[in-house]
Amino acid sequence: MDILEKLDLNVQKILIEAKRFCKAYGSPYLSREHLFLALLEDHPEMILSSVPGLSSRELLRIKEELQKSLSTTSVPTEGKIKVEDDVKEVLEEAVREARREGRRKAHLEHLTYAILKMREPVQIFSRSRFDIPLEELTSAEAPVSYTHLTLPTN
């Protein structure tokens, strides 16, 4: 079974948006950062509800920092985009989370959880929120339910 068949329509839309960012920022590779930026762009509420105490203003600053880090070239990429292995790992983790809940397809909450499990967004949160040390962000327990996600331990 293809991984796309295991993702609900909203998650598939995030992938399409991530590929659009990839091309716009001139990268021939779809990375976890593109995926994270697409989630921030299309569903900021998922991140806001997942990180306790994070404000909309701080989220905007995080988004701007991520956009700066991705803008290595202003020349849009043409042709086929290659998906990095770490993106596949994130999608597989989202599917595993969905299966743990007894769901057939991964939804946005599963993708959010899988993205926040990776180290790069946690480092972005830590740099953007100077009052919160990296250790504190990565020490939260994995969520029992998805009504209020928290950053998991890496």
Side-chain angles (χ1 to χ4, degrees):
M1 180 185 256
D2 185 63
I3 189 76
L4 289 177
E5 295 174 17
K6 299 175 186 176
L7 307 174
D8 86 333
L9 189 57
N10 289 321
V11 176
Q12 290 180 29
K13 286 178 183 177
I14 293 294
L15 277 174
I16 292 168
E17 184 72 5
K19 284 182 180 180
R20 186 181 70 74
F21 282 130
C22 193
K23 287 182 178 186
Y25 286 108
S27 175
Y29 298 98
L30 178 66
S31 70
R32 295 184 295 187
E33 290 79 8
H34 296 108
L35 199 59
F36 185 50
L37 182 58
L39 184 65
L40 282 172
E41 180 75 23
D42 290 356
H43 295 280
E45 74 282 357
M46 294 301 295
I47 303 297
L48 286 170
S49 68
S50 300
V51 182
L54 183 67
S55 71
S56 297
R57 188 175 185 180
E58 290 169 316
L59 191 63
L60 180 61
R61 192 167 57 177
I62 290 166
K63 182 179 166 186
E64 289 168 353
E65 185 176 333
L66 185 56
Q67 287 170 325
K68 262 192 255 180
S69 74
L70 288 174
S71 61
T72 56
T73 177
S74 59
V75 179
T77 301
E78 296 296 327
K80 189 170 178 154
I81 300 291
K82 296 174 186 148
V83 179
E84 290 186 354
D85 287 340
D86 55 3
V87 171
K88 294 174 188 173
E89 291 171 19
V90 167
L91 297 175
E92 289 167 359
E93 179 62 26
V95 169
R96 279 192 294 276
E97 279 300 310
R99 296 265 163 82
R100 282 187 203 118
E101 284 190 340
R103 297 172 99 173
R104 287 183 53 241
K105 295 189 175 200
H107 295 262
L108 284 174
E109 62 267 21
H110 306 118
L111 179 64
T112 302
Y113 178 75
I115 287 174
L116 291 177
K117 273 183 85 168
M118 64 185 180
R119 193 137 182 91
E120 286 81 359
V122 173
Q123 290 171 334
I124 291 167
F125 284 123
S126 182
R127 284 195 311 268
S128 298
R129 301 184 72 201
F130 300 110
D131 57 328
I132 299 180
L134 180 62
E135 299 78 37
E136 186 179 323
L137 285 171
T138 58
S139 66
E141 293 296 319
V144 174
S145 75
Y146 293 99
T147 55
H148 186 73
L149 292 171
T150 56
L151 284 172
T153 303
N154 281 350

